[in-house]
Amino acid sequence: MKKVFIVFGAIALVAFVSCKENASSKIKASNVEVAAERDEAAKNLPIMSFDKSEHDFGTIEQGAAQETIFTFTNDGNAPLIITNATSSCGCTIPEYPKNKPIAPGESGQLLVKFNGSGQNQVTKTITVSANTEKGSELLRIKAFVNPKSGAPATALGPVK
């Protein structure tokens, strides 16, 4: 039992002696300057702004392919890079400038293709991932899809 107290006492003594140094004397001024520059550069982020966040195709026939363009501008002070764009459904396909830097002040386009599937009111979401502070932007498309002519209908609507 005495050995345990002696070992713990030795460890405590080493801990107290090693913490005696002044930590602030170990800071190098050059490292502080580098960290300040890095923090300032981190504030320089692209800002992605769209001309519209939603597009309504109106009333369309089922299966009628539709397309729209969302125009975006880099309002930030660093190059904007879109890393991915995905939709909430396989019936909607976004096309974007993949990993191509968009300089501050420049604009680009995101083409969204919708194959006209579904019935009645349809809303789809497109998630655009980029190197912005938010990390992603949400866009929406919507349409009222009429069933193909000749499809049987019921009192509640068309039969699926």
Side-chain angles (χ1 to χ4, degrees):
M1 188 72 165
K2 286 184 179 180
K3 288 183 182 180
V4 172
F5 285 120
I6 293 173
V7 170
F8 281 128
I11 291 173
L13 182 65
V14 170
F16 286 125
V17 172
S18 65
C19 293
K20 193 175 181 180
E21 294 180 40
N22 187 358
S24 62
S25 67
K26 295 181 179 181
I27 296 175
K28 294 181 182 176
S30 62
N31 289 346
V32 172
E33 291 172 11
V34 169
E37 289 174 11
R38 180 192 65 228
D39 292 346
E40 189 62 34
K43 293 178 187 175
N44 295 331
L45 292 171
I47 299 171
M48 187 177 212
S49 61
F50 284 90
D51 63 337
K52 58 185 176 181
S53 61
E54 186 175 288
H55 179 79
D56 188 353
F57 289 114
T59 302
I60 63 172
E61 293 298 314
Q62 189 175 38
Q66 303 291 316
E67 291 184 356
T68 187
I69 293 177
F70 290 92
T71 302
F72 60 88
T73 304
N74 180 0
D75 292 330
N77 48 14
L80 170 69
I81 300 174
I82 299 175
T83 55
N84 197 11
T86 57
S87 67
S88 59
C89 174
C91 62
T92 306
I93 301 171
E95 295 179 3
Y96 60 97
K98 296 179 180 168
N99 297 316
K100 178 186 172 239
I102 309 295
E106 289 188 5
S107 296
Q109 294 182 334
L110 184 129
L111 173 67
V112 176
K113 297 179 180 182
F114 173 56
N115 69 5
S117 67
Q119 287 184 352
N120 299 324
Q121 187 64 43
V122 177
T123 302
K124 305 298 176 185
T125 304
I126 298 95
T127 303
V128 181
S129 301
N131 63 333
T132 60
E133 184 176 11
K134 286 173 46 177
S136 66
E137 301 287 335
L138 290 178
L139 305 172
R140 287 184 181 79
I141 60 167
K142 63 182 184 176
F144 188 87
V145 181
N146 283 329
K148 289 183 181 179
S149 57
T154 66
L156 298 175
V159 176
K160 292 184 181 180

